[in-house]
Amino acid sequence: FEQYVAGSNPLPLTECLSWAGVSFAGPSTIEVASLGNIEIDLNQDNQIYIANTDRLDEFGTAMGFENGDILQSINGTEITLENAMTLLSDFQQQTQKGDKVKMEVLREVDGKNKVQKLKAKALTFETTTPESLKIDENPNDDQLAIRKIWLNGF
């Protein structure tokens, strides 16, 4: 108590977490596929659309994204309100630089919404993941006991 709470020493979090079979992972750099640096939103019909293309990156420009495009599919998989977050996240994590990317969008042309087929080669960029905690899938009995106390109390 005197050393950490009342004192000036920082709590040894890595050590304390290990007692319960939890490890601390610092930030790391990963490479992810670009989505074009588009801003997306929902329209009044709960469709996902491109709300802003002011800061398109090279991939977004190559795809030809335009404000108001309603996202329909990516690489043949329909984009819905229910699957959009997972689908776009999987795209970013699994797509490699140079992979062919095909998207279909609904775009207003001459007052009518028409399906537009967009395609370009994927581009990637480095990003930093935040610090995280990893729970050991095979904790020992002591670690399980401490977890139980931490989560449920005495």
Side-chain angles (χ1 to χ4, degrees), residues 6-49:
S8 61
N9 291 332
L11 187 64
L13 289 177
T14 302
E15 178 185 352
C16 293
L17 291 170
S18 72
W19 300 338
V22 178
S23 60
F24 178 77
S28 64
T29 301
I30 60 171
E31 193 153 323
V32 297
S34 169
L35 285 167
N37 205 29
I38 55 175
E39 291 179 30
I40 58 175
D41 204 346
L42 290 179
N43 65 16
Q44 65 276 7
D45 297 321
N46 281 332
Q47 296 170 308
I48 301 164
Y49 76 100

Side-chain angles (χ1 to χ4, degrees), residues 84-140:
M85 292 298 286
T86 301
L87 185 62
L88 297 176
S89 176
D90 287 350
F91 169 81
Q92 285 196 292
Q93 294 174 14
Q94 296 170 7
T95 303
Q96 302 296 313
K97 184 176 184 175
D99 286 355
K100 292 179 184 178
V101 180
K102 295 179 182 180
M103 292 185 77
E104 288 187 357
V105 299
L106 277 181
R107 181 177 292 163
E108 188 174 325
V109 178
D110 298 326
K112 296 180 182 177
N113 278 341
K114 295 186 178 181
V115 173
Q116 302 290 308
K117 295 182 179 192
L118 311 177
K119 61 182 179 177
K121 290 191 176 184
L123 295 176
T124 59
F125 63 95
E126 286 187 351
T127 188
T128 303
T129 63
E131 297 170 337
S132 62
L133 298 177
K134 182 180 177 197
I135 297 175
D136 186 350
E137 294 180 17
N138 298 307
N140 62 38

